Amino acid sequence: MSPENEAPELALIAKGLRTISKETTYQGLAEALLREALSYSAADRGGILLSEGNELLARADASFPRERASFFTSSPAASEFRLPPDLDDAVLRRQETVTRRTCRQMSALMGTAEPSPQVITQLCLPLVHHEWTIGVLYLESTREEAFTPRCVRVMSMLASQAAVSLESVRLFEALRETNMWMVRGQEIGRMGSYRWNTRTLLSRASRECYRIFDIDLEVNPVPFEVFKSRIYPDDIPALDQALTRAVSTKSPFSHEYRVVHRDGTVLNVMAEGQFDHGPGGDVELEGIITDVTGRRAAERALADARHELARAVRLASLGELAGWIVHEISQPLTGITMSAEACLRWLARDSPDSSEARQSAMRVIEQGRRAHDVVDGLKSLVRGAQLNFTAVDINEAIEEVLLLSKRELERAGVTLHAEFGKSLPQVRADRVQLQQVVFNLVRNAVEAMVDVEGRSRVLTARSSMSDNHVVVAIADTGMGVDRANRERLFDALYTTKGNGLGLGLSICRRIVAVHGGRLWVEENMTHGSTFAFILPVCQAMQMLGPN
């Protein structure tokens, strides 16, 4: 070739090499290589097969496994690319460049729409990088002398550049994939990254950061005033103070404020960052901005739920206290009713018995005072006040409760057995509180026998002495207590009754504990359960505290 023709050709080759080296995708690289090869060689058709890995191509066809992914392109378009076995061995395995004249049936490009002569010229070059065959360049021509030695050298140069560029493509693909993961991760986490120059007041930020601030991506970097224009006006002074303090001390920055979109949407955001020096030496704040609107909404909903729960607990506590008062006050009210009815009967006689009527009226007064004592006792229980400890005859206290419960026992068809120990020492206790415990245990025993059919309903009240303690037991012949829930009976708000409050046994255990004793339940040998408590014979005065 003459010198005057060589320069344009070298320029053409250089242009081709530059074109190939600029590509950053497998598709672009393959198409550029094929386009330059066809242009220079004037071949009729051609194809490129690239591997994304450095493994030897096992099969040079369009169905190449994706894990060693192939990228196939041809001109004109072909449905399949398949090298003849001899070319497959020579080009892919031995990395040889093959030029030959052969029959049409040996074409690697199948399914082309153009008619083809019976004899074709083939050029097949391996694309080699770091001693690995990573692809193949295949050209066909109807001309017998289409691929001269000079043409083959130029094709080899283009193929070598493509093989080198494949490494750049791989890096670009990895970078693109990493960037895609980062963008997607920020979208999922609703978190954007930023870098703010404290001298120029310009910011560079990620796509998600701009979305959070409702800023268009047309300008980058963005002036700080653009970000500031999106901040809720009332939050700007505090943000300025936080930024000024962080910049002056170069300390980590963390501040929460609100962002207002152009459509009026308000977001809660948390900005965090730390200072370092940018490429130009300026101090820059680098960090993340997180959309915490959903989190704050969830926290508010949780706070509201907690408030409602606390309110419900307070209301429930009031209801339980009211129920407990009604429960405890019913005992002296029953006595008042019975005494008043007796008084009326004595007065209704033909010859009124004023003495008996007077006694009945006195019992009304006594029970009224007892009701007052019950209320005072409950107030003490709630407030934690000091109880009124006195010497108490335990048998006498139990008998009073059983006398007041007589009508209830009769209505329920319950037979009463009393087994009181003789000569029991007195205990030091609050008589009213102690009787509330006994009364509650008696009532529970009666309710436990309501559904009993076919056997006797018997309530047994016992007192005895054991290891310097007085033991009181109330036994029934009811349905018994489920072993799994035995200890839960004494938990506050736990009940096995359809209309129960779940408070009686919990308070009973607390009262007994304040008296230095212990309350428990055990299963009877035959039917029912026994609730028992022990009290020390001598008990010092105590303040009622938490159980």
Side-chain angles (χ1 to χ4, degrees):
M1 182 177 293
S2 60
E4 59 272 15
N5 293 330
E6 188 171 351
E9 184 178 19
L10 291 176
L12 187 64
I13 295 172
K15 174 180 173 296
L17 294 174
R18 287 196 303 271
T19 300
I20 294 171
S21 63
K22 290 178 182 178
E23 296 300 327
T24 58
T25 66
Y26 291 104
Q27 178 177 350
L29 178 62
E31 291 177 350
L33 174 59
L34 181 59
R35 185 170 57 252
E36 296 301 322
L38 290 175
S39 174
Y40 185 88
S41 66
D44 298 310
R45 57 180 60 85
I48 301 288
L49 184 69
L50 292 180
S51 167
E52 292 183 4
N54 282 332
E55 298 181 43
L56 179 67
L57 292 173
R59 300 192 312 276
D61 59 44
S63 60
F64 191 79
R66 183 64 189 171
E67 56 270 18
R68 288 178 297 169
S70 65
F71 183 86
F72 168 64
T73 184
S74 66
S75 179
S79 60
E80 191 177 1
F81 181 80
R82 187 180 301 278
L83 287 177
D86 58 338
L87 287 184
D88 180 77
D89 183 67
V91 177
L92 297 181
R93 287 169 175 74
R94 298 201 301 272
Q95 299 179 348
E96 298 174 355
T97 298
V98 176
T99 304
R100 69 180 183 180
R101 189 81 169 161
T102 186
C103 63
R104 179 184 180 282
Q105 286 73 21
M106 299 296 288
S107 173
L109 296 174
M110 306 298 179
T112 56
E114 297 180 2
S116 178
Q118 295 300 314
V119 180
I120 58 173
T121 302
Q122 295 175 321
L123 171 62
C124 194
L125 297 91
L127 304 181
V128 180
H129 183 60
H130 294 316
E131 300 182 357
W132 291 97
T133 304
I134 58 174
V136 61
L137 166 63
Y138 175 84
L139 300 174
E140 281 185 12
S141 177
T142 57
R143 294 179 294 110
E144 183 175 354
E145 300 298 328
F147 306 119
T148 63
R150 187 180 185 86
C151 176
V152 172
R153 286 196 296 272
V154 173
M155 294 300 103
S156 297
M157 293 173 60
L158 296 177
S160 296
Q161 180 59 54
V164 171
S165 297
L166 192 65
E167 185 68 23
S168 298
V169 170
R170 186 176 295 110
L171 294 176
F172 273 107
E173 286 293 328
L175 181 61
R176 184 180 293 110
E177 186 176 30
T178 300
N179 182 67
M180 179 189 68
W181 287 345
M182 184 184 71
V183 170
R184 184 58 180 156
Q186 290 194 359
E187 289 176 354
I188 295 173
R190 303 181 71 82
M191 175 186 66
S193 55
Y194 69 91
R195 195 172 182 91
W196 177 55
N197 189 306
T198 60
R199 181 182 65 82
T200 65
L201 302 184
L202 295 176
S203 295
R204 301 184 302 279
S206 66
R207 180 187 306 172
E208 182 63 15
C209 187
Y210 288 139
R211 185 205 64 78
I212 291 174
F213 277 86
D214 192 24
I215 295 175
D216 297 328
L217 295 176
E218 298 176 358
V219 181
N220 198 4
V222 176
F224 180 67
E225 289 302 318
V226 175
F227 284 96
K228 199 170 182 178
S229 67
R230 296 286 191 268
I231 298 173
Y232 197 85
D234 293 348
D235 296 348
I236 291 177
L239 175 61
D240 285 340
Q241 291 178 6
L243 279 173
T244 301
R245 183 168 56 254
V247 171
S248 62
T249 60
K250 301 300 182 293
S251 58
F253 172 74
S254 179
H255 191 71
E256 183 172 343
Y257 51 92
R258 289 167 290 179
V259 170
V260 184
H261 285 193
R262 285 168 287 187
D263 63 1
T265 302
V266 178
L267 303 181
N268 293 83
V269 303
M270 171 63 76
E272 298 177 281
Q274 56 186 15
F275 291 92
D276 65 1
H277 290 85
D282 291 337
V283 175
E284 294 186 345
L285 176 62
E286 181 181 32
I288 59 173
I289 291 179
T290 307
D291 180 356
V292 296
T293 307
R295 188 189 310 169
R296 294 295 174 260
E299 289 173 354
R300 286 193 295 271
L302 180 59
D304 291 343
R306 285 174 176 168
H307 175 75
E308 288 301 317
L309 179 60
R311 180 172 176 271
V313 169
R314 287 196 299 271
L315 291 175
S317 298
L318 289 174
E320 289 156 6
L321 180 58
W324 177 252
I325 292 174
V326 171
H327 168 272
E328 298 304 325
I329 209 72
S330 63
Q331 175 185 341
L333 288 178
T334 300
I336 290 172
T337 302
M338 293 174 61
S339 297
E341 289 174 350
C343 181
L344 290 175
R345 285 196 301 271
W346 290 116
L347 293 175
R349 288 186 169 189
D350 295 337
S351 299
D353 191 331
S354 59
S355 176
E356 292 292 343
R358 185 180 297 107
Q359 291 181 13
S360 296
M362 290 300 296
R363 284 196 295 269
V364 170
I365 295 173
E366 290 175 1
Q367 292 301 324
R369 289 173 177 169
R370 178 168 175 74
H372 180 269
D373 292 341
V374 169
V375 173
D376 282 348
L378 288 170
K379 288 163 63 177
S380 299
L381 182 66
V382 173
R383 294 177 181 174
Q386 182 171 306
L387 300 179
N388 182 25
F389 282 93
T390 59
V392 176
D393 185 319
I394 194 68
N395 289 343
E396 182 182 312
I398 297 173
E399 284 176 341
E400 287 183 7
V401 173
L402 295 177
L403 178 61
L404 293 172
S405 303
K406 183 177 180 181
R407 180 175 295 183
E408 184 178 358
L409 294 172
E410 291 173 350
R411 284 199 301 264
V414 175
T415 301
L416 174 64
H417 284 173
E419 301 174 1
F420 296 146
K422 296 180 179 180
S423 303
L424 292 181
Q426 291 183 326
V427 295
R428 192 164 184 80
D430 186 302
R431 184 185 186 89
V432 175
Q433 295 286 354
L434 201 57
Q435 287 184 318
Q436 305 314 309
V437 173
V438 175
F439 182 79
N440 192 67
L441 296 181
V442 168
R443 194 180 68 165
N444 285 351
V446 172
E447 292 177 349
M449 294 184 284
V450 169
D451 297 328
V452 170
E453 300 292 344
R455 67 172 184 269
S456 299
R457 301 176 184 179
V458 180
L459 184 146
T460 303
R462 295 191 296 266
S463 64
S464 59
M465 189 71 184
S466 176
D467 296 332
N468 204 33
H469 284 75
V470 172
V471 182
V472 177
I474 305 296
D476 62 71
T477 57
M479 308 307 293
V481 178
D482 183 8
R483 184 184 299 271
N485 297 323
R486 187 170 297 171
E487 278 304 310
R488 293 189 64 196
L489 288 174
F490 300 99
D491 293 344
L493 305 183
Y494 177 81
T495 180
T496 58
K497 306 172 186 176
N499 59 349
L501 298 174
L503 199 63
L505 288 174
S506 174
I507 293 182
C508 286
R509 173 172 273 189
R510 183 178 180 185
I511 292 173
V512 172
V514 168
H515 284 75
R518 180 171 60 89
L519 171 64
W520 72 94
V521 61
E522 56 190 27
E523 187 176 359
N524 295 339
M525 294 295 293
T526 53
H527 302 289
S529 304
T530 296
F531 284 82
F533 63 89
I534 60 173
L535 296 173
V537 171
C538 296
Q539 174 65 36
M541 299 280 285
Q542 294 190 33
M543 289 292 293
L544 177 60
N547 187 11

